[in-house]
Amino acid sequence: MGTIITDLKEKFRNGDIVVRLIYINVAVFIVTFLAGVVCKLMGWGEIGSFSFLAFPASFDKFLLQPWSIITYMFMHGGVWHILFNMLCLYWFGEIFLMSFSTKHLRGLYFLGGIAGAVLFMLSYNIFPYFQPAIDSSVVVGASASILAIIIAVAYRQPNYRVQLFLIGNVS
């Protein structure tokens, strides 16, 4: 067990920013998942930290938890959610690093996430359709951050060819 943890620490220390972001996302997912299991087993109900770290649609709730504009980017709603987000981060993050620096990827990850949170909050507070759900709605996941990276890759390298399973090469 000690060698596994040592290997993980070494890979984190020597990995690029993409690997580090994946490790951080997975670690947060595992910790919150295990905390939720412990809370359920102890009869304490649902985990409170999940909503405490998720980004709320309500501006009033956001004022009470301003850190959520950063923490929500590292939270995920399930195994499939984190799996597909981390696969996209790995694939497009490595392509991104061919044209940009580590500093650019880190900055874009956070700026994309912040922009996604702001857009989420604005949508819920502007459109009447969402009004009944403002107080109970939250968002989690790195999707906005990863989408910002994908858009940057598509803008910078529009003719980059990707091999898709069963489809072939696609620009």
Side-chain angles (χ1 to χ4, degrees):
M1 182 70 166
T3 59
I4 294 172
I5 293 172
T6 306
D7 288 345
L8 288 174
K9 285 181 185 178
E10 192 64 30
K11 286 181 182 176
F12 180 82
R13 202 173 306 119
N14 294 331
D16 60 8
I17 187 65
V18 174
V19 171
R20 289 181 181 183
L21 285 171
I22 290 170
Y23 272 47
I24 292 167
N25 275 283
V26 170
V28 169
F29 177 75
I30 291 171
V31 167
T32 55
F33 177 78
L34 292 176
V37 169
V38 169
C39 287
K40 247 188 180 151
L41 290 174
M42 298 302 284
W44 299 334
E46 294 296 319
I47 183 169
S49 66
F50 190 79
S51 62
F52 193 66
L53 299 173
F55 187 79
S58 167
F59 186 73
D60 295 334
K61 286 187 179 181
F62 171 67
L63 290 177
L64 297 174
Q65 56 186 62
W67 56 85
S68 64
I69 200 162
I70 301 296
T71 58
Y72 96 94
M73 293 179 228
F74 300 99
M75 305 289 296
H76 288 84
V79 174
W80 293 110
H81 187 200
I82 192 166
L83 175 68
F84 287 115
N85 270 345
M86 295 305 102
L87 283 173
C88 286
L89 177 58
Y90 179 74
W91 291 328
F92 288 97
E94 294 300 327
I95 297 169
F96 183 92
L97 289 176
M98 290 179 195
S99 300
F100 298 99
S101 71
T102 296
K103 187 186 263 187
H104 289 118
L105 190 130
R106 185 181 319 117
L108 187 60
Y109 184 89
F110 284 104
L111 287 176
I114 291 168
V118 169
L119 187 61
F120 169 78
M121 182 181 280
L122 285 175
S123 296
Y124 267 78
N125 287 284
I126 290 174
F127 298 115
Y129 177 80
F130 296 122
Q131 292 297 319
I134 286 179
D135 291 331
S136 62
S137 295
V138 295
V139 67
V140 294
S143 300
S145 301
I146 295 165
L147 189 57
I149 292 168
I150 292 170
I151 290 169
V153 166
Y155 179 76
R156 180 67 172 216
Q157 299 179 1
N159 295 321
Y160 189 85
R161 299 199 57 78
V162 178
Q163 173 95 25
L164 295 178
F165 183 65
L166 298 176
I167 296 175
N169 287 333
V170 177
S171 288

